[in-house]
Amino acid sequence: MRLILMGAPGSGKGTQGALLAQRLGVPAISTGDIFRANVAARTRLGGQAQGYLDGGEYVPDEITNAMVRGRLAEPDTAGGFVLDGYPRTVSQIAYLDEVLRDAGTALDAVLWFSVEQDEVVRRLLERARVEGRADDTAEVIRRRQEIFLAQTAPLMGEYRYRGLLVKVDGAGTVGAIAQRVAGALARSGRAPV
Ligand code: AMP
């Protein structure tokens, strides 16, 4: 099963992605996690990405696309994947299409987590308190929401048009949302879980 998780920063897609991947027995691939790991390990990719992450800006498509192509070529993705945080731009959608076409595969569904803006900001501020992520400051949180609304929210229309979009109400507890995810996927007929 090949799934994409989309939603605003703080919408819970990372948490739900990890749970879903575990249930499906496929890897959860978070582009944000891969970038953060590279920054921490001071790799060349980390050096290229760090400034963008710290400012809440998107890492340029060429860098992000090449990284995702490499990750999706790893053998553990043969049976599927849960991709969290990619694609985020129009050009990334086209690139992912190409990667999957080259591999002779296709997406099963795109889960879209919708959460009120006030609620995502509240969650991110709470995460900042608990995890201390460098990009969870009030100013960068605001910037990340702006960029999401300008560049990523409009992509919903493309996946809806393709009949892949499965919307999930992302409010509430982790457990309640996980149940909603399973129910929405089952009802969509796109992915048996
Ligand atoms: P996330 O953990 O998904 O919130 O991502 C954290 C940061 O990683 C983002 O604010 C971007 O700087 C970068 N990033 C993650 N995924 C992408 C992507 N698909 N395109 C560009 N930048 C990304």
Side-chain angles (χ1 to χ4, degrees):
M1 185 118 31
R2 293 174 181 80
L3 299 175
I4 286 181
L5 270 54
M6 297 178 93
S11 61
K13 59 187 165 37
T15 305
Q16 295 299 328
L19 290 172
L20 194 53
Q22 199 175 28
R23 228 179 45 236
L24 296 171
V26 298
I29 300 173
S30 154
T31 46
D33 280 352
I34 296 175
F35 282 132
R36 278 186 291 278
N38 276 274
V39 169
R42 299 178 179 275
T43 66
R44 184 160 166 270
L45 175 64
Q48 291 171 322
Q50 180 161 21
Y52 299 103
L53 263 75
D54 287 349
E57 308 289 331
Y58 284 172
V59 176
D61 286 333
E62 314 80 72
I63 298 174
T64 307
N65 285 341
M67 178 187 89
V68 169
R69 185 183 278 276
R71 181 62 187 89
L72 292 183
E74 298 281 331
D76 64 335
T77 65
F81 52 77
V82 172
L83 194 48
D84 153 22
Y86 182 95
R88 271 167 142 121
T89 65
V90 173
S91 123
Q92 291 179 13
I93 286 193
Y95 192 83
L96 180 62
D97 288 344
E98 194 185 296
V99 169
L100 296 178
R101 203 173 40 238
D102 289 351
T105 58
L107 292 174
D108 292 295
V110 176
L111 281 169
W112 192 283
F113 291 88
S114 67
V115 186
E116 294 287 328
Q117 171 117 0
D118 286 354
E119 171 64 12
V120 294
V121 172
R122 197 192 57 72
R123 287 183 190 175
L124 290 175
L125 289 171
E126 173 63 14
R127 187 171 73 186
R129 213 178 51 76
V130 178
E131 295 178 21
R133 233 174 82 167
D135 58 351
D136 278 343
T137 64
E139 191 188 332
V140 178
I141 286 172
R142 210 170 22 247
R143 182 67 190 139
R144 287 161 65 212
Q145 297 298 330
E146 269 172 23
I147 295 186
F148 170 78
L149 288 175
Q151 297 208 43
T152 303
L155 307 184
M156 197 198 308
E158 174 62 23
Y159 285 123
R160 181 185 286 125
Y161 174 75
R162 298 186 189 186
L164 289 173
L165 191 74
V166 177
K167 259 184 121 171
V168 178
D169 174 3
T173 62
V174 170
I177 301 165
Q179 279 192 349
R180 257 179 247 145
V181 167
L185 276 175
R187 274 194 308 279
S188 76
R190 303 270 346 155
V193 282

